[in-house]
């Protein structure tokens, strides 16, 4: 399925989820699909750490629902993250693994063992139980609402099988925020919906 | 564990708790095992053993964005692997982060293979303009709080470096 259309479909089913995107194309695609500037943290400056970042946030704020996107290029750099995610087993975290089988942000450079990597099997091998795969927009429209609505315990891992960005899509706008601006926009939103105090630190 | 090192580990844990630290993410170094075991047993903390040190950087940075105090605990060699994550996440977004690491390769380290840490750990910290505080003896443990507060005041990462004498009780 088309990468951006996949993200548009997921965005249609979003209600109050907080979103973390990864280095690579996921930030561009989510920005194209949503133009969200407060409830999404575009963690562009980090390879392979978006779901760890999301796990810290999910642990800190268990009443927030967190969606974290990560490309398979980032996943290849740190697959052991799934051991940590399984161990933490946070019910408010969904890890979307965006599988385009390339390093998308670097002109679709080749990914090791691309044809044979079975990410769902890897996740199950680490002991994850809530593992899902979407290969079409129709499947997202049909099954994501139930997946999202279920009150099942434990962490959720979803593989999105998408096509690499086209040359035109590679030119999609990057989320236009400097780091500190993004931190404060996002943090103020988290403060407003949870009542927590991120920035009012006092010694 | 000796009585002396257990006391040091307990005091480090108390110091972290006094700062509001709830999450400790760690990867082991032999010198740190008393601290890790102490934190693991202590109900004041959620201790998360991680697969690599960069994961601790991600976890603790995300916890900050949820208003949870945290500390990343690792050996000097592990610290040397996180420069990318630190500079990309914590410098780019100005997200505070408190780290604790071992001062490997310094005088008193018995392990020859830590020569690289002895030579390059502090020059690397200086190269990325990252403040550090050496904790040499039990009387210095209070500097943990001051260093933690420094990260929150300046929205930057900082590391405290534990010596062998502190963690292993001298020679």
């Amino acid at each position: 399925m088309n990468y951006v259309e996949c993200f548009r479909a997921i965005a249609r089913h979003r209600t109050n989820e907080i979103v973390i995107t990864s280095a690579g194309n996921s930030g561009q695609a989510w920005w194209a699909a949503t133009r969200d500037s407060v409830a999404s943290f575009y963690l562009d400056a980090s390879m392979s750490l978006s779901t760890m970042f999301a796990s810290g946030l999910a642990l800190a704020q268990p009443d927030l629902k967190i969606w974290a996107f990560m490309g398979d290029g980032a996943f290849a750099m740190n697959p052991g993250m799934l051991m940590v995610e399984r161990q933490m087993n946070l019910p408010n975290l969904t890890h979307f693994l965006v599988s385009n089988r390339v390093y998308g942000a670097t002109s679709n450079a080749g990914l090791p063992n691309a044809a044979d990597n079975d990410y769902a099997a890897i996740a199950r091998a680490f002991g994850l139980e809530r593992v899902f795969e979407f290969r079409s927009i129709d499947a997202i429209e049909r099954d994501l609402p139930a997946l999202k609505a279920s009150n099942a315990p434990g962490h959720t891992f979803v593989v999105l099988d998408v096509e690499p960005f086209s040359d035109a899509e590679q030119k999609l706008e990057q989320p236009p925020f400097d780091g500190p601006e993004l931190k404060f926009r996002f943090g103020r939103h988290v403060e407003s919906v949870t009542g927590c105090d991120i920035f009012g630190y006092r010694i | 564990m000796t009585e002396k090192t257990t006391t040091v580990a307990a005091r480090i844990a108390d110091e972290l708790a006094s700062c509001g630290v709830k999450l400790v993410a760690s990867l082991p170094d032999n010198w740190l095992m008393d601290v890790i075991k102490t934190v693991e047993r202590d109900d004041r903390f959620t201790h998360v053993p991680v697969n690599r040190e960069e994961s601790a950087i991600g976890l603790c940075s995300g916890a900050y964005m949820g208003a949870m105090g945290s500390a990343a605990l690792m050996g000097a060699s592990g610290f040397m692997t996180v420069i990318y994550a630190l500079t990309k996440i914590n410098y780019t977004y100005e997200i505070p982060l408190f780290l604790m690491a071992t001062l490997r390769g310094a005088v008193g380290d018995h392990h020859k293979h830590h020569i690289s840490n002895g030579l390059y750990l502090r020059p690397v910290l200086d190269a990325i303009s990252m403040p550090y505080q050496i904790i040499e003896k039990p009387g210095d443990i209070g500097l943990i709080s001051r260093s933690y507060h420094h990260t929150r005041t300046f929205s930057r990462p900082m590391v405290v470096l534990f010596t062998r004498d502190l963690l292993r009780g001298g020679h």
Side-chain angles (χ1 to χ4, degrees):
Chain A
M1 66 184 144
N2 175 272
Y3 197 134
V4 177
E5 290 308 314
C6 168
F7 272 45
R8 290 191 202 282
I10 292 170
R12 283 194 289 275
H13 293 286
R14 182 188 189 199
T15 47
N16 56 354
E17 287 81 2
I18 297 288
V19 168
I20 312 295
T21 66
S22 176
N25 295 141
S26 68
Q28 286 171 284
W30 190 249
W31 177 246
T34 67
R35 287 294 191 264
D36 181 14
S37 64
V38 292
S40 296
F41 197 108
Y42 300 92
L43 193 64
D44 289 331
S46 115
M47 295 186 291
S48 84
L49 294 174
S50 63
T51 61
M52 289 291 91
F53 186 93
S55 295
L57 176 58
L59 176 71
Q61 293 296 333
D63 291 333
L64 291 182
K65 298 284 187 192
I66 315 290
W67 285 354
F69 293 99
M70 166 181 290
D72 49 2
F75 181 81
M77 295 177 184
N78 188 18
M81 76 187 80
L82 287 184
M83 299 179 191
V84 183
E85 290 177 30
R86 174 65 184 90
Q87 174 183 256
M88 296 180 79
N89 204 26
L90 296 162
N92 56 334
L93 174 66
T94 299
H95 176 159
F96 287 99
L97 180 69
V98 189
S99 173
N100 56 3
R101 307 277 165 178
V102 293
Y103 289 113
T106 45
S107 306
N108 295 340
L111 188 69
N113 202 40
D116 294 324
N117 294 331
D118 184 341
Y119 303 114
I122 292 169
R124 292 190 184 100
F126 280 129
L128 276 73
E129 295 170 355
R130 289 178 50 75
V131 178
F132 305 90
E133 294 182 79
F134 289 126
R135 300 182 187 282
S136 70
I137 301 295
D138 287 346
I140 291 173
E141 300 290 6
R142 183 183 65 239
D143 296 334
L144 185 58
L147 187 159
K148 206 172 92 85
S150 74
N151 202 21
H155 160 269
T156 301
F157 182 77
V158 180
V159 179
L160 303 170
D161 192 351
V162 300
E163 298 154 6
F165 269 19
S166 65
D167 289 346
E169 287 167 332
Q170 290 285 10
K171 293 176 181 153
L172 284 170
E173 184 184 17
Q174 298 281 350
F177 308 105
D178 285 348
E181 180 188 9
L182 187 59
K183 175 184 78 168
F184 282 112
R185 280 175 176 263
F186 180 83
R188 296 295 186 208
H189 176 74
V190 171
E191 287 182 329
S192 72
V193 297
T194 66
C196 76
D197 187 1
I198 302 169
F199 302 120
Y201 183 77
R202 297 286 183 275
I203 295 175
Chain B
M1 284 192 191
T2 66
E3 184 178 349
K4 185 176 177 183
T5 60
T6 304
T7 302
V8 164
R11 288 183 59 187
I12 290 171
D14 287 344
E15 198 68 22
L16 291 173
S18 76
C19 301
V21 168
K22 306 283 189 197
L23 165 67
V24 178
S26 78
L27 226 78
D29 171 315
N30 256 346
W31 292 1
L32 291 170
M33 288 316 298
D34 286 349
V35 179
I36 290 173
K37 288 175 183 172
T38 299
V39 166
E40 174 68 32
R41 286 194 304 263
D42 192 326
D43 291 341
R44 293 175 295 181
F45 307 108
T46 296
H47 174 230
V48 180
V50 294
N51 63 313
R52 58 188 293 193
E53 289 81 0
E54 282 197 335
S55 292
I57 305 302
L59 266 178
C60 292
S61 299
Y64 172 80
M65 295 308 301
M68 176 179 273
S70 67
L73 181 61
M74 62 191 67
S77 301
F79 178 84
M80 294 291 261
T81 72
V82 302
I83 304 306
Y84 165 80
L86 277 173
T87 53
K88 283 294 198 174
I89 296 179
N90 306 97
Y91 283 40
T92 300
Y93 300 100
E94 298 184 2
I95 292 178
L97 180 71
F98 179 66
L99 299 102
M100 300 179 292
T102 50
L103 189 59
R104 284 286 191 174
V107 173
D109 192 340
H110 300 175
H111 293 279
K112 293 168 76 72
H113 61 272
H114 279 297
I115 180 66
S116 57
N117 292 320
L119 289 172
Y120 304 120
L121 175 61
R122 282 177 277 186
V124 165
L125 286 164
D126 289 337
I128 63 170
S129 302
M130 182 163 158
Y132 61 90
Q133 174 69 56
I134 295 173
I135 311 284
E136 290 187 80
K137 52 187 184 297
D140 295 338
I141 289 173
L143 293 171
I144 289 173
S145 292
R146 297 192 71 189
S147 301
Y148 182 90
H149 295 314
H150 184 78
T151 69
R152 268 53 189 170
T153 303
F154 290 95
S155 295
R156 297 285 181 185
M158 178 170 178
V159 60
V160 296
L161 300 170
F162 297 134
T163 64
R164 184 180 188 281
D165 285 355
L166 177 82
L167 295 172
R168 301 301 290 260
H171 310 288

